[in-house]
Amino acid sequence: MRILISALSVFVLLLTGPAAQAGPIKIKFSHVVAVNTPKGQMAEKFKELVEQRLAGKVEVNVFPNAQLFGDNKVLEALLLGDVQLAAPSLSKFQKYTKSLQLFDLPFLFQNIGAVDRFMATDGSKKLLRSTEKKGLLGLGFLHNGMKQLSASSPLTVPADAAGMKFRIMTSDVLAAQFQAVKASPQKKPFSEVFTLLQTKAIDGQENTWSNIFSKKFFEVQDHITHSDHGYLGYMVVTSTEFWNDLPDNIRGELEKALADAITYGNQVANEKAVSDKKAIMDSGRSTIIELSSEQRAQWVEAMKPVWKKFEDDIGKDLIDAALKANQN
Ligand code: SIN
């Protein structure tokens, strides 16, 4: 009897997993940015490749612009099986792992080349599994770019930021970064940033050229400081349960399609860092402030003490590996 019950349970499990669905396996990919961004383009490329390579077997639907879920809800939605793929920024995983806070440390990576070198190390591979115990599996990392500061008044030295309200992602490191310059950090969803800036409920925010351009923040911020003070990237993530239930051959093809889509998304990121900055400059809607090396050094000096505060949470070995990646 017991054998019969176990056999029945296995049968029911097989029937409810993705492999047992009638028709193609359906993947909903939810994200918060516009289509014309590195993440938006990567998601579209992934859909295109999967539909070429796994026609009739897997169907991908992409939901951009937080149409389905904001980043603060999407990780729960993955665990509930309401979506199958997402790529929140690395700053939004704090509830699931402390290690990814590495990427929020101000002035850690000198440029995207350094991030690429770090991503090629074993340390970064381990980071993909850092949320696994919580039921989430990292499948790959994608760039957006280096972050800039935007505000309603010019920011050239840290003292200019004192007393101002800045929207941040849900990261305690980012909160500490703005507290270090005596500003007031406000954790808010990405989908609310434009309105918060427009209504002057907040004074500024930090983001990449691509996000500032595609979400039109430059139309409601008079000044953007080219600070490159931090990195904004993503972890493409799925639920461990969904992924492990996939047939091996399908999972393998999806992994390849994702790797190709990420390579493409990273190219888009590099191009957009240049072209979206230029488009903002050409619009004449916002003044771009280029910092002198003395001014930049003041920001570094003010914000760098944040590293020490989070060293135990993140791990000194990871911070050292990131610093090593700055040496070309
Ligand atoms: C994103 O690029 O996915 C959003 C970043 C943000 O919340 O500022």
Side-chain angles (χ1 to χ4, degrees), residues 32-33 39 71 92 144 167 169 190 207 211 232 234:
V32 298
V33 291
K39 182 162 56 181
D71 273 343
K92 293 175 183 166
N144 184 322
R167 177 269 173 173
M169 296 180 269
F190 186 59
N207 234 305
N211 282 347
L232 196 156
Y234 308 108

